[in-house]
């Protein structure tokens, strides 16, 4: 049965978001280019009802996108230099990291307005929120730590001013933690560092951390395989994904991708990874008959070679997007209620 997946590539240099329709494995078609603000950064984050949001770093706004109409709906003012965001479970609130304001904005998605800013440290970047919505972890790039925020006052009483920072988990002042992902079981936070040759792994129960050496600086994004057994880390400087065993915290292999990999998302239904190639240069591939052009996503079949050992070559292909793709996310239109899809389709036709 055909699927109804959309991949959203944040194209920084173009000021756009490219939309790729996916109907099955290897079946990709670019269907739309959505104009947003200047220098969009970070992946488009979606509520369950198909409202998408992306940061416009040079305009101090976030754009709201409609996943069905594939249009920009509105812009909401936040702090200076918005870089990363996360939607609080329940879909009422959105957190936005402001790299220029050294804060996190709280946006009320019913009122479509910023209602509070939380001071957090110098130059915060990307973040994650636990599945229960009670805790957020934010990379504070300029100060070299991960800020742990207690969101209980927000999620239980709507009190944005009651959000508190309960810990600053040290990574290293020179490491520059950039992005993070919470493991599927919720017990660990994996942190990619742009200026350290290791991934930092935080125990969520104790806030203690340890390092996993990947050998090169340039960590950018982290995702997990559908079975939760492996963490995948893009390392921009060597154009590779490093594979880490989540239990042993040992690097088991690397996967060559396009030049300057940054964003990363995994389609859990067919075990396919999508990586944004941010570099403007073409890089020769070790995969026969495949060169990695700039301004593409590298599409990797994660089941085509083992992840737990350095054996075999992964099947990969390029998908063309806009200029300077920095992040990629996906949304399954089939998760929208039928009446909601019909309502939006009727609005588009009208």
């Amino acid at each position: 049965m055909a699927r109804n997946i959309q991949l959203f590539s944040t194209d920084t240099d173009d000021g756009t978001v490219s939309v790729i329709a996916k109907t099955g494995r290897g079946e990709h078609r670019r269907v739309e280019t959505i104009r947003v603000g200047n220098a969009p950064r970070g992946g488009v984050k979606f509520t369950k009802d198909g409202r998408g949001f992306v940061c416009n770093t040079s305009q101090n706004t976030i754009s709201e996108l409609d996943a069905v109409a594939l249009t920009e709906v509105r812009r909401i003012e936040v702090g200076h230099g918005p870089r990363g965001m996360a939607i609080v479970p329940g879909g009422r609130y959105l957190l936005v990291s402001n790299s220029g304001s050294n804060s996190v904005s709280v946006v009320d998605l019913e009122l479509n307005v910023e209602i509070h800013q939380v001071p957090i440290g110098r130059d915060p970047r990307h973040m994650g929120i636990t599945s229960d919505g009670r805790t957020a972890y934010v990379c504070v790039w300029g100060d070299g730590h991960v800020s742990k925020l207690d969101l209980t006052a927000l999620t239980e009483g709507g009190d944005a001013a009651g959000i508190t920072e309960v810990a600053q988990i040290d990574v290293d002042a020179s490491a520059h933690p950039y992005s993070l992902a919470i493991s599927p079981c919720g017990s660990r936070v994996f942190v990619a560092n742009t200026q350290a040759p290791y991934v930092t792994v935080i125990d969520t129960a104790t806030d203690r951390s340890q390092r996993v050496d990947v050998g090169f600086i340039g960590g950018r994004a982290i995702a997990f395989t559908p079975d939760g057994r492996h963490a995948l880390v893009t390392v921009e400087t060597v154009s590779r994904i490093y594979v880490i065993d989540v239990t042993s915290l040992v690097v088991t292999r690397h996967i060559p991708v396009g030049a300057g990999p940054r964003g990363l998302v995994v389609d859990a239904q067919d075990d396919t990874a999508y990586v944004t190639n941010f570099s403007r240069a073409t890089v020769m591939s070790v995969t026969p008959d495949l060169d990695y052009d700039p301004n593409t996503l590298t599409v990797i079949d994660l089941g085509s070679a083992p992840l737990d050992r350095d054996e075999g070559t992964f099947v990969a292909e390029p998908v063309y997007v806009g200029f300077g793709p920095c992040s990629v996310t996906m949304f399954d239109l089939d998760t929208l209620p039928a009446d909601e899809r019909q309502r939006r389709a009727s609005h588009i036709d009208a």
Side-chain angles (χ1 to χ4, degrees):
M1 185 174 70
R3 301 177 66 196
N4 201 6
I5 302 296
Q6 291 173 332
L7 295 155
F8 292 79
S9 170
T10 305
D11 304 326
T12 299
D13 294 351
D14 276 345
T16 61
V17 172
S18 294
V19 185
I20 308 297
K22 175 180 180 178
T23 54
R25 181 187 289 275
E27 299 172 351
H28 304 98
R29 181 170 59 93
R30 187 171 174 177
V31 294
E32 191 58 83
T33 300
I34 306 171
R35 174 66 58 183
V36 291
N38 289 343
R41 294 275 184 170
V44 181
K45 300 299 192 298
F46 288 95
T47 61
K48 290 183 178 180
D49 59 356
R51 298 175 68 189
F53 299 89
V54 68
C55 294
N56 300 314
T57 302
S58 296
Q59 289 188 323
N60 308 327
T61 62
I62 58 173
S63 289
E64 178 180 343
L65 311 180
D66 187 311
V68 177
L70 300 181
T71 57
E72 183 186 51
V73 177
R74 63 174 59 86
R75 295 183 187 178
I76 302 171
E77 292 187 5
V78 288
H80 294 286
R83 291 269 185 168
M85 64 173 65
I87 294 173
V88 179
R92 172 67 186 269
Y93 300 103
L94 174 72
L95 303 185
V96 183
S97 61
N98 303 308
S99 61
S101 297
N102 301 331
S103 65
V104 168
S105 290
V106 183
V107 177
D108 186 318
L109 295 181
E110 288 188 5
L111 302 176
N112 297 317
V113 67
E114 178 194 76
I115 58 174
H116 187 62
Q117 285 193 26
V118 183
I120 198 174
R122 186 164 56 94
D123 200 350
R125 298 296 177 98
H126 301 286
M127 68 179 78
I129 300 176
T130 55
S131 59
D132 62 7
R134 298 173 66 89
T135 307
Y137 295 89
V138 187
C139 290
V140 183
W141 191 86
D143 286 334
H145 67 259
V146 170
S147 177
K148 182 178 180 180
L149 302 180
D150 184 348
L151 306 181
T152 306
L154 178 69
T155 55
E156 293 187 357
D159 178 16
I163 295 174
T164 57
E165 184 180 59
V166 293
Q168 293 183 353
I169 304 168
D170 183 59
V171 175
D172 191 287
S174 62
H176 295 301
Y178 182 77
S179 72
L180 57 81
I182 302 169
S183 65
C185 66
S187 64
R188 287 171 166 167
V189 177
F190 285 69
V191 184
N193 304 304
T194 60
Q195 298 300 317
Y198 55 80
V199 170
T200 302
V201 182
I202 299 168
D203 185 311
T204 57
T206 65
D207 294 341
R208 294 176 180 172
S209 66
Q210 55 188 308
R211 298 175 178 179
V212 180
D213 184 25
V214 294
F216 299 93
I217 65 171
R220 285 288 183 175
I222 296 179
F224 297 93
T225 54
D227 60 11
R229 293 177 56 189
H230 296 95
L232 309 175
V233 185
T234 55
V235 180
E236 184 175 22
T237 54
V238 289
S239 299
R240 296 171 178 171
I241 291 176
Y242 279 80
V243 182
I244 300 173
D245 185 294
V246 169
T247 301
S248 65
L249 298 183
V250 170
V251 174
T252 57
R253 71 172 306 166
H254 66 262
I255 306 170
V257 292
R262 290 198 175 186
L264 170 65
V265 69
V266 176
D267 185 344
Q269 288 198 36
D270 64 8
D271 217 18
T272 301
Y274 295 84
V275 186
T276 59
N277 301 318
F278 186 76
S279 175
R280 283 76 170 174
T282 299
V283 171
M284 295 296 293
S285 168
V286 298
T287 305
D289 304 319
L290 178 63
D291 294 341
Y292 292 115
D293 289 338
N295 308 316
T296 59
L297 307 179
T298 301
V299 184
I300 305 164
D301 180 356
L302 293 175
S304 59
L307 292 171
D308 59 355
R309 58 190 183 278
D310 190 9
E311 178 182 300
T313 301
F314 287 90
V315 174
E317 63 173 312
V319 171
Y320 288 86
V321 290
F323 287 90
C326 72
S327 299
V328 60
T329 55
M330 59 181 287
F331 185 76
D332 186 348
L333 285 171
D334 288 335
T335 62
L336 286 175
D339 58 343
E340 178 68 11
R341 292 200 303 272
Q342 183 176 2
R343 182 187 69 80
R344 295 195 188 194
S346 299
H347 177 72
I348 295 168
D349 293 340

